[in-house]
C-alpha cells in the first residue's frame, strides 16, 4: 500500500504524454515511386506534397528510380515490406515493373498508376493524360503546320514505356489522313536531351531536307533544336515537343523564345493523384480511369501560360509559408501544453508529498509506541531464552552422557561379537579349502567369508573409536616412505576400479625419496582405505577417482598434503558440515556405518593435522588431509602386518566393492515368450543378488539391477513377472523405484516384493502407499521368499483365469492404469481388425510399447497374447455377422481381416466347434 501511489502517478504522467504526442501521429503512409527525376516529375512531386498539406493525417514517402528498372523494383518491395497504406507509381517499363506491382496489389495494398501503364490489370486506379490522344493532337498539328506535305523526323522516348507507344500510335493515326507527309527517320532517345542531340546529329547528316522534328517530350525537342542550330539548319526546320512544363529553361519558355514552334500540355496532375489516393484510403467513391486533358502551346499563348505559372508558383510559395507557420504554432502549442501538464504533475506531487509527510509523522508516533511495547516483550523473551539455554545445556550434557553410554554398549557388544565371528571365520576358511565342495556350496561359503570380514572391520572401527573417545588411542610411530605405502595400499583398489570402469590414479609431486615421514603407519593406511572406500561407494561407472600427494610448509614445518577426490554423486553444503560426525547418515541413498569418516578425522587429529571436505551435489567430493611429516615421539621398527590388519584391509575393500559395485547386471535373451517366469532382483549388495539368484535359478529366469534407476530400465525392457526390490539403495531408493514402476503403463501390473532391514510400521506404510504388493524383512528365510514369489505370481494368474475375454478381464480387480491399458487395447483391436496386415508391432507402437513389452503385459493381464486376442475378436465379430447379415462366408472373411476363407474356416471351427457353413445351415434350418 505504501508504494501504490507511485504507480498511479506514473500512469497519470504517461496519459498526459500520450495525449500530447497523439496529434503528431500519421494515420496513413503513402509511398511514391517515380521512374525518373526530370523537371516534369519534379513538378508532379511538388503538386502531390502540396495537396498532401490538406490531409494532416498523411505521410508521403517519395523515391526516385533514375530510369533503372531494378532500382524501382527494390523501391516498391521496400514499400511492401514497410506495409504502406497505398503505393503511387510511375512505372519505368510496363513489362518489367508489372510483377512487383501485382505482388503489392495481391498483398492488399492499393496501387495507383500515374502517367504510364503496365502490362497487367492488377491496379486500383490510373491517373494521367491519354497519351494516344496527345499523339493524335500532335499529328493533327503537324498536318496543319506543313499544309499536308513534308518530311518529318520522330524522336521517341523509351520504346518499352507505354507513353512512347501510345503517343506514336496516336500521331501515326492522325498522319494517315494525308499521304504527302512522310516519316523519314525515327530514333529512340530514351527521354534524354543529350541522347536526342546525338541521334539528331546522325539524322541531319543523312537527310538534306527535313521539314519538322517532333519529339515525345520537351527535353528531346530542345536537344534536337540545339543540334540543328549547331549545324546552322534550325531556321529550315519546325520543332515540336510534349510536356509544356513551365519554368526557366523548360518547354513553355522555349516556345516563348522561339526555339520550339509548339509544345503540347502533358498535365502532371499531382493534385488529382493525391485526391484519388485519399478517396481510396477513406473508402469513398472514385473513378478507376482518370484521364487529364491536353492542349497545344505555341507562340500565341506561351506568354499567357508563363504569367499563369508564375502566379501559381507565388501562391504555392504562400501556401508553404502558411504551412510552416502553422507547424511553428503547433510546436509552440505543444510545448505550452507540455509545460501545463508538467505544472499539474508538480502540483500533484507536492500534494502527495504533503500527504505523506503528515502520514509519516502519524506513523512515526504510532511506531514509537509499538517499539516501546516490543522492547518490553523482547526483554521478557530474553529471560525465557536464558532459561531455555540453560535447559539446552543440560539436555546436551545428558545427550553426551547417553552417547557415551551407547558407545560403551556397542564396544561391549563388539567384544562379544569378535569371539563368535572368529569361530565362524576359521571353519569357513577350512571348508573353502575342501576340494569336494560343489559350485553352489562354494559360492555360499565365499559370501559368508566376505561378510565376516566386513563385520570384523566394523567391530574394529567401533573399538578404535571407543579408545579415541576415552583418550586411550595412541600413535605407534615408525619411519617409512608414505608414497611407497600409498601405492601399495591402493593396489587392491585398482582391481575394483577396473571392474567398475572407474579411472583411478595415484600421483605425487617431486621425488619419491622426499616422502619419508614419521607417523603411525597402520593409522595412515586406514586413513587411505576409509577415504577410498567412501569414494568408491559414491562414484558411478566411468567416473574418476584421484589420490594426489604433495608437500607444503606450514609454521616452518614440512607438512604432507593428501588429496582424495572423486566425480561421484557429491553432497550438499549442509551435509558436508556433518560428514565427520559419528553415526551421521545423509539419507536412504547414502548408506554406511557412519564411523569410517569419523575415524579418519580422529586419526588425523592424533597426528596433529587437519582434514576438510569440499563437495558439490552431482559433481563430486574432495577430502584434503594435511599433517606434519615428522611426529614427535619414540620411533619403533616396522613389523609385518598382523592378521587383524589384513582382515581390516580386506574388509575395507570388500565393503567398498560389495555395497556399490556397479557391474553390468545379468541379462537374458528372450523374445517375451519364455516358459519360465522372469524375476527381477533390485539390490545394491552383490552378495544379496548372488544369493537370491542361486535360490531362484532352478525355477525362474533371474535378471538383476544394482539400484532403483537401473531396475526401472530392466523392468521396462523385460517386463518381468515379479520384482524383488531392496529399500535402501544409492542413486534411487526402493520406495521411489516402486512408485515409478506402478505409474508406468508397461510395468504397472507387475507384483513388487520389498526387502527391508527395518521393521518400523512407518516405512511399511510408505512402501504400501507407493504400490508395494508385499514385504519381507532381512534376514529372510529362503523358503519364505520362494513361497511369497509363488503366491504373487499365482494371484496374478488367478485374476486371468476368471474370464476368457477382454470384457471379462476389465471387470476384475485391476488398477486404473491397467484397466485403461486393456480398454485402449480392445478399442484399437476393434477399430483395426479389418486390416489383414495388422501386426503386433503396429499395436505396440500405438500403445507406446515394444513387441516384447506388449506381449508380456497382455499375457499377464488377459492370459492371451496380442495375436490370440486379435484372432478371438475377429472370430466373435465374424460370428455376429454370420448371425445378423446375409453376407457370404468369403465377404465376412475379408471384412474381419482374415487373409483367406480356408484359414478363417479352420480358426472358426477350432474356436466354436463347427464350421461357418454348418452354422449357416443350422441358422437357415431354424428359419
Amino acid at each position: 500500500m505504501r508504494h501504490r501511489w507511485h504507480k498511479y502517478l506514473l500512469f497519470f504522467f504517461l496519459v498526459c504524454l500520450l495525449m500530447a504526442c497523439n496529434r503528431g501521429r500519421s494515420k496513413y503512409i503513402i509511398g511514391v515511386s517515380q521512374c525518373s527525376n526530370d523537371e516534369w516529375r519534379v513538378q508532379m512531386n511538388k503538386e502531390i506534397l502540396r495537396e498532401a498539406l490538406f490531409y494532416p493525417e498523411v505521410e508521403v514517402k517519395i523515391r526516385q528510380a533514375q530510369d533503372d528498372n531494378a532500382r524501382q523494383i527494390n523501391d516498391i518491395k521496400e514499400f511492401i515490406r514497410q506495409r504502406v497504406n497505398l503505393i503511387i507509381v510511375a512505372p519505368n517499363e510496363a513489362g518489367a515493373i508489372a510483377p512487383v506491382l501485382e505482388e503489392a496489389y495481391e498483398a492488399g495494398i492499393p496501387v495507383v498508376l500515374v502517367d504510364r501503364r503496365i502490362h497487367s490489370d492488377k491496379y486500383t486506379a490510373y491517373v494521367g493524360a491519354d497519351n494516344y490522344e496527345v499523339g493524335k493532337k500532335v499529328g493533327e498539328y503537324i498536318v496543319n503546320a506543313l499544309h499536308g506535305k513534308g518530311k518529318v523526323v520522330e524522336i521517341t522516348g523509351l520504346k518499352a514505356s507505354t507513353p512512347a507507344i501510345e503517343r506514336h500510335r496516336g500521331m501515326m493515326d492522325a498522319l494517315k489522313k494525308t499521304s504527302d507527309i512522310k516519316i523519314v527517320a525515327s530514333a529512340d532517345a530514351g527521354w534524354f536531351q543529350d541522347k536526342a542531340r546525338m541521334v539528331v546529329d546522325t539524322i541531319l547528316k543523312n537527310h538534306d531536307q527535313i521539314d519538322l522534328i517532333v519529339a515525345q517530350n520537351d527535353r528531346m525537342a530542345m536537344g534536337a533544336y540545339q543540334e540543328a542550330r549547331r549545324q546552322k539548319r534550325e531556321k529550315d526546320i519546325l520543332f515540336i515537343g510534349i510536356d509544356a512544363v513551365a519554368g526557366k529553361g523548360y518547354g513553355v519558355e522555349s516556345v516563348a523564345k522561339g526555339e520550339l514552334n509548339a509544345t503540347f500540355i502533358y498535365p502532371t496532375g499531382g493534385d488529382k493523384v493525391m485526391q484519388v489516393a485519399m478517396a481510396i484510403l477513406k473508402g469513398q467513391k472514385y473513378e478507376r480511369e482518370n484521364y487529364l486533358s491536353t492542349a497545344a502551346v505555341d507562340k500565341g499563348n506561351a506568354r499567357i501560360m508563363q504569367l499563369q505559372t508564375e502566379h501559381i508558383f507565388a501562391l504555392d510559395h504562400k501556401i508553404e509559408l502558411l504551412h510552416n507557420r502553422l507547424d511553428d504554432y503547433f510546436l509552440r502549442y505543444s510545448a505550452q501544453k507540455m509545460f501545463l501538464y508538467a505544472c499539474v504533475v508538480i502540483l500533484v506531487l507536492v500534494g502527495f508529498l504533503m500527504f505523506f509527510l503528515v502520514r509519516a509523522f502519524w506513523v512515526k508516533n504510532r511506531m514509537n509506541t509499538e517499539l516501546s511495547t516490543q522492547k518490553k516483550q523482547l526483554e521478557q523473551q530474553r529471560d525465557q531464552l536464558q532459561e531455555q539455554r540453560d535447559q539446552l545445556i543440560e539436555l546436551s550434557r545428558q545427550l553426551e552422557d547417553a552417547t557415551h553410554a551407547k558407545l560403551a554398549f556397542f564396544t561391549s557388544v563388539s567384544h562379544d561379537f569378535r569371539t563368535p565371528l572368529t569361530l565362524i571365520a576359521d571353519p569357513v576358511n577350512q571348508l573353502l579349502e575342501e576340494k569336494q565342495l560343489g559350485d553352489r556350496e562354494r559360492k555360499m561359503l565365499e559370501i559368508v567369508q566376505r561378510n565376516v570380514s566386513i563385520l570384523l572391520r566394523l567391530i574394529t572401527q567401533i573399538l578404535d573409536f571407543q579408545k579415541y573417545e576415552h583418550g586411550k588411542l595412541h600413535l605407534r610411530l615408525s619411519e617409512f616412505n608414505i608414497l611407497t605405502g600409498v601405492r601399495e595400499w591402493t593396489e587392491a583398489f585398482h582391481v575394483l576400479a577396473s571392474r567398475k570402469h572407474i579411472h583411478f590414479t595415484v600421483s605425487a609431486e617431486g621425488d619419491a625419496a622426499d616422502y619419508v615421514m614419521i607417523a603411525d603407519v597402520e593409522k595412515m593406511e586406514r586413513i587411505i582405505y576409509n577415504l577410498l572406500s567412501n569414494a568408491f561407494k559414491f562414484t558411478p561407472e566411468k567416473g574418476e577417482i584421484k589420490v594426489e600427494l604433495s608437500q607444503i610448509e606450514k609454521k616452518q614445518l614440512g607438512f604432507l598434503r593428501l588429496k582424495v577426490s572423486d566425480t561421484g554423486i557429491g553432497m550438499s553444503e549442509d551435509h558436508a558440515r556433518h560428514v565427520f560426525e559419528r553415526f551421521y547418515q545423509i539419507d536412504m541413498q547414502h548408506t554406511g556405518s557412519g564411523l569410517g569418516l569419523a575415524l579418519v578425522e580422529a586419526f588425523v587429529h592424533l597426528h596433529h593435522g587437519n582434514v576438510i571436505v569440499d563437495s558439490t551435489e552431482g559433481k563430486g567430493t574432495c577430502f584434503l588431509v594435511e599433517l606434519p611429516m615428522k611426529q614427535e615421539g619414540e620411533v619403533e621398527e616396522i613389523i609385518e602386518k598382523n592378521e587383524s590388519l589384513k582382515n581390516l584391509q580386506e574388509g575395507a575393500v570388500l565393503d567398498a566393492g560389495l555395497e556399490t559395485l556397479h557391474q553390468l547386471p545379468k541379462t537374458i535373451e528372450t523374445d517375451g515368450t519364455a516358459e519360465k517366469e522372469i524375476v527381477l532382483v533390485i539390490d545394491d549388495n552383490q552378495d544379496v543378488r548372488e544369493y537370491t539368484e542361486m535360490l531362484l535359478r532352478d525355477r525362474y529366469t533371474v535378471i538383476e539391477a544394482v539400484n532403483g534407476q537401473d531396475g526401472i530400465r530392466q523392468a521396462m525392457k523385460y517386463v518381468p513377472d515379479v520384482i524383488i526390490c531392496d529399500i535402501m539403495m544409492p542413486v534411487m531408493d526402493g520406495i521411489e523405484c516402486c512408485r515409478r514402476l506402478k505409474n508406468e503403463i508397461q510395468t504397472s501390473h507387475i507384483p513388487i516384493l520389498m526387502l527391508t532391514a527395518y521393521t518400523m510400521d512407518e516405512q511399511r506404510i510408505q512402501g504400501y502407499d507407493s504400490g508395494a504388493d508385499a514385504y519381507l524383512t532381512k534376514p529372510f528365510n529362503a523358503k519364505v521368499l520362494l513361497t511369497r514369489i509363488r503366491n504373487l505370481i499365482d494371484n496374478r494368474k488367478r485374476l486371468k483365469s476368471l474370464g476368457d475375454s477382454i470384457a471379462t478381464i476389465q471387470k476384475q480387480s485391476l488398477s486404473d492404469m491397467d484397466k485403461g491399458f486393456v480398454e485402449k487395447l480392445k478399442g484399437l483391436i476393434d477399430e483395426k481388425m479389418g486390416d489383414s496386415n495388422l501386426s503386433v508391432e503396429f499395436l505396440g507402437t500405438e500403445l507406446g510399447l515394444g513387441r516384447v513389452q506388449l506381449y508380456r503385459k497382455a499375457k499377464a493381464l488377459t492370459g492371451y497374447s496380442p495375436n490370440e486376442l486379435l484372432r478371438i475378436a475377429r472370430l466373435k465379430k465374424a460370428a455376429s455377422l454370420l448371425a445378423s447379415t446375409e453376407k457370404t462366408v468369403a465377404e465376412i472373411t475379408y471384412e474381419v481381416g482374415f487373409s483367406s476363407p480356408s484359414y478363417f474356416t479352420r480358426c472358426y471351427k477350432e474356436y466354436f466347434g463347427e464350421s461357418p457353413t454348418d452354422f449357416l445351415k443350422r441358422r437357415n434350418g431354424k428359419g
Side-chain angles (χ1 to χ4, degrees), residues 81 106-107 154 234 250 281 283 338 353 441 452 469 479 614 627 648 865:
R81 189 189 65 79
E106 291 172 354
E154 181 187 25
E234 77 278 9
Y250 298 151
L281 290 176
M338 286 299 297
L353 182 61
E441 289 78 9
V452 166
E469 287 281 293
E479 188 173 17
D614 181 24
L627 43 81
L648 177 66
S865 68

Side-chain angles (χ1 to χ4, degrees), residues 297-334:
V297 177
D298 55 16
K299 191 82 170 178
N301 59 8
R303 183 57 186 163
I304 296 172
M305 282 197 65
Q306 280 184 309
L307 293 174
Q308 290 177 339
T309 304
E310 289 173 0
H311 181 64
I312 291 172
F313 285 168
L315 291 177
D316 287 347
H317 178 71
K318 291 180 180 179
I319 291 172
E320 290 179 4
L321 182 62
L322 289 173
H323 182 263
N324 291 333
R325 287 184 178 179
L326 282 174
D327 285 342
D328 290 340
Y329 293 149
F330 175 71
L331 288 174
R332 292 179 187 177
Y333 168 75
S334 297

Side-chain angles (χ1 to χ4, degrees), residues 562-581:
L562 171 66
K563 184 178 179 183
V564 178
S565 59
D566 63 67
T567 58
I569 60 177
M571 54 187 144
S572 67
E573 183 180 349
D574 183 58
H575 289 315
R577 285 198 297 268
H578 303 283
V579 75
F580 294 114
E581 296 177 7

